[in-house]
Amino acid sequence: MMKIIVTGFGRFLDNENNPTKDILKLLPKTILGNEIFPIELPVIFDECFDYLKPFIVDIDPDVIIMLGLAGGRKAITPERVAINMKDTTGPDNIGYMPVDEIIDINGKNAFFSGLPLREIEKNLKIYNIPVKISNSAGLYVCNNIMYKVLNYIDQNNLNIKAGFVHVPYSDESKPNVDVFSLPIEIIYQGVIEIIKAVL
Ligand code: PCA
């Protein structure tokens, strides 16, 4: 039996409703006998990992799947890579707006996702859920948490599969009718299939 941490975020910038927070509430306690631990993280560069770390230490998970909203994307997008850089034109939830800042001056330039991206793609396609592997998680808080988690796993030689997946707006969270969105049920089903692909 495996232990799987699934993280999500709440509101940030103009996004009052973050579908990843809704997903956390919908997740069952177990999937195929494996335990699921949903955790909402603060949308704060310097606090998101500090908040998550004690959970990683306590739970000792086999898998960490991090979720975030990428409004405007037209598919569920597993991220291929996290890079050692913070750069944004919009503030995090405490007003911090880094420009061209290294996340960890002693860290590697980048880390690849530890999730089985092609398996995830295959599983979602079976259910006709829009999916596309992404080659950039941006340089805002999502790339930041993905980098910090993979960096922590690398530095401590932990046997944890971890990676990040961006999701589009849900029908409820989109700012206007012109923007692409999926029903929350479909995003939820996508997340379940991602977890099954990892298992
Ligand atoms: N998406 C943002 C941060 C929180 C979220 O859900 C991002 O893509 O960085």
Side-chain angles (χ1 to χ4, degrees), residues 7 9 12 41-46 48-49 52 66-70 73 77-88 92 98 100-104 108-113 134-152 162-167:
T7 71
F9 288 108
F12 68 100
L41 303 177
V43 188
I44 300 176
F45 279 99
D46 290 339
C48 54
F49 182 69
L52 176 60
M66 295 163 272
L67 304 174
L69 167 66
R73 285 198 184 167
T77 49
E79 298 294 346
R80 194 192 297 272
V81 60
I83 71 175
N84 191 1
M85 180 60 63
K86 295 182 272 191
D87 184 67
T88 176
D92 70 7
D100 297 341
E101 274 185 49
I102 301 287
I103 295 172
D104 178 354
K108 294 177 180 168
N109 287 339
F111 290 104
F112 288 126
S113 175
S134 162
N135 296 319
S136 173
L139 295 175
Y140 188 56
V141 178
C142 290
N143 173 74
N144 182 76
I145 189 68
M146 181 180 178
Y147 182 87
K148 285 187 173 188
V149 167
L150 293 171
N151 191 29
Y152 175 76
F164 198 96
V165 180
H166 267 119
V167 307

Side-chain angles (χ1 to χ4, degrees), residues 16-199:
E16 282 309 318
N17 300 303
N18 192 324
T20 65
K21 182 175 174 167
D22 303 327
I23 297 291
L24 295 183
K25 289 189 194 133
L26 293 170
L27 284 171
K29 288 202 162 51
T30 61
I31 294 179
L32 305 173
N34 303 280
E35 271 184 285
I36 309 294
F37 298 87
I39 300 168
E40 184 191 332
L41 303 177
V43 188
I44 300 176
F45 279 99
D46 290 339
E47 285 176 31
C48 54
F49 182 69
D50 295 341
Y51 184 87
L52 176 60
K53 189 176 154 185
F55 287 101
I56 299 176
V57 173
D58 268 15
I59 295 168
D60 187 21
D62 303 281
V63 178
I64 303 174
I65 298 172
M66 295 163 272
L67 304 174
L69 167 66
R73 285 198 184 167
K74 295 183 171 63
I76 292 180
T77 49
E79 298 294 346
R80 194 192 297 272
V81 60
I83 71 175
N84 191 1
M85 180 60 63
K86 295 182 272 191
D87 184 67
T88 176
T89 52
D92 70 7
N93 284 358
I94 56 164
Y96 175 44
M97 222 163 64
V99 175
D100 297 341
E101 274 185 49
I102 301 287
I103 295 172
D104 178 354
I105 49 164
N106 301 312
K108 294 177 180 168
N109 287 339
F111 290 104
F112 288 126
S113 175
L115 301 179
L117 302 181
R118 293 294 169 200
E119 285 298 314
I120 289 172
E121 185 184 46
K122 206 170 82 190
N123 263 21
L124 268 62
K125 279 189 171 163
I126 291 172
Y127 295 94
N128 280 321
I129 300 169
V131 57
K132 192 172 192 311
I133 293 171
S134 162
N135 296 319
S136 173
L139 295 175
Y140 188 56
V141 178
C142 290
N143 173 74
N144 182 76
I145 189 68
M146 181 180 178
Y147 182 87
K148 285 187 173 188
V149 167
L150 293 171
N151 191 29
Y152 175 76
I153 290 170
D154 184 61
Q155 285 181 349
N156 295 285
N157 276 313
L158 300 176
N159 188 18
I160 302 175
K161 283 194 189 112
F164 198 96
V165 180
H166 267 119
V167 307
Y169 285 120
S170 61
D171 294 343
E172 299 75 17
S173 63
K174 69 170 158 184
N176 62 66
V177 287
D178 300 329
V179 151
F180 180 86
S181 66
L182 290 172
I184 191 75
E185 295 78 17
I186 299 295
I187 301 177
Y188 174 73
Q189 193 192 358
V191 171
I192 297 291
E193 288 310 320
I194 288 166
I195 293 170
K196 288 187 183 163
V198 176
L199 295 172

